[in-house]
Amino acid sequence: QVHLQESGPGLVKPSETLSLTCTVSGGSISYYYWTWIRQPPGKGLEWIGHLYYTGTTNYDPSLKSRLSISIDTSTNQFSLRLSSVTAADTATYYCARGPLTDSGYIFDSWGQGILVTVSS
Amino acid sequence: DIQMTQSPPSLSASVGDRVTITCRASQTIGNYLNWYQQRPGKAPKVLIFGASSLQSGVSPRFSGSGSGTDFTLSIISLQPEDFATYYCQQSYTTPYSFGQGTKLEIK
């Protein structure tokens, strides 16, 4: 059973860069897609972007100019960097495995989520 | 971008009831429609993929149907652990998008 765990600062100042890491355990990071999804407080889920283990990325166009997702297969980790953050980026950030191309492109395993607040 | 619209936004029901949640896509998505359950303070969990396929380990009290633009999630014989928020998600094309959620509450 694969396990995902997000880590990073819970508080980021406006205009700075939000950086999070997802550590994958219980399975290999290779041969899968890996995704970041966020959820503003009290609101719904928002797909941020994903990458394949080879490093190929796919980003939400509304975030693309500020976003970078990368992977380190040697440490079984992938990361999110979102620059020039504002209060609108305050959310719980989830990392997830997927989309799984053989199962309807679902996100089948999720981290517990990490709340990131953008505030001075 | 594809917009996903769920109804109702909230729903009250009793243990043992049967409920149905609907999801409509702003354009045809074939059967690329997935359903997730999110309990308070927890990560979402996939229930249904491909509009009607039950994810491994999920109770058969959950079922999905539909294709094209209109989809439904049905839950029979509601149990206390089913009271949660449900999201549909289109996986037809990026940017992937979710419905706004349907909160299922105990009556």
Side-chain angles (χ1 to χ4, degrees), chain B residues 10-17 19 78-84 103-107:
Chain B
S10 63
L11 182 56
S12 292
S14 302
V15 172
D17 284 355
V19 298
L78 277 172
Q79 299 300 299
E81 61 268 26
D82 299 335
F83 293 93
K103 187 174 183 179
L104 177 56
E105 299 173 303
I106 298 177
K107 185 182 291 183

Side-chain angles (χ1 to χ4, degrees), chain B residues 68-100:
Chain B
T69 60
D70 294 309
F71 303 87
T72 61
L73 172 70
S74 296
I75 316 170
I76 62 171
S77 187
L78 277 172
Q79 299 300 299
E81 61 268 26
D82 299 335
F83 293 93
T85 300
Y86 293 85
Y87 294 93
C88 61
Q89 177 242 333
Q90 65 83 12
S91 56
Y92 179 75
T93 188
T94 59
Y96 297 132
S97 46
F98 294 83
Q100 80 278 20

Side-chain angles (χ1 to χ4, degrees), chain B residues 14-28:
Chain B
S14 302
V15 172
D17 284 355
R18 178 184 189 274
V19 298
T20 298
I21 299 168
T22 65
C23 179
R24 174 165 288 175
S26 60
Q27 65 185 74
T28 185

Side-chain angles (χ1 to χ4, degrees), chain B residues 18-78:
Chain B
R18 178 184 189 274
V19 298
T20 298
I21 299 168
T22 65
C23 179
R24 174 165 288 175
S26 60
Q27 65 185 74
T28 185
I29 58 171
N31 67 342
Y32 288 90
L33 190 285
N34 308 311
W35 289 97
Y36 295 82
Q37 175 194 65
Q38 186 178 34
R39 297 189 175 111
K42 300 295 185 182
K45 167 190 168 184
V46 61
L47 302 173
I48 301 285
F49 66 92
S52 60
S53 297
L54 193 68
Q55 174 71 349
S56 176
V58 173
S59 170
R61 296 184 294 99
F62 293 90
S63 63
S65 64
S67 67
T69 60
D70 294 309
F71 303 87
T72 61
L73 172 70
S74 296
I75 316 170
I76 62 171
S77 187
L78 277 172

Side-chain angles (χ1 to χ4, degrees), chain A residues 11 57 61 75:
Chain A
L11 181 63
T57 55
T75 60

Side-chain angles (χ1 to χ4, degrees), chain A residues 3-16:
Chain A
H3 179 77
L4 292 83
Q5 179 70 57
E6 304 89 351
S7 59
L11 181 63
V12 181
K13 289 182 168 56
S15 80
E16 296 190 343

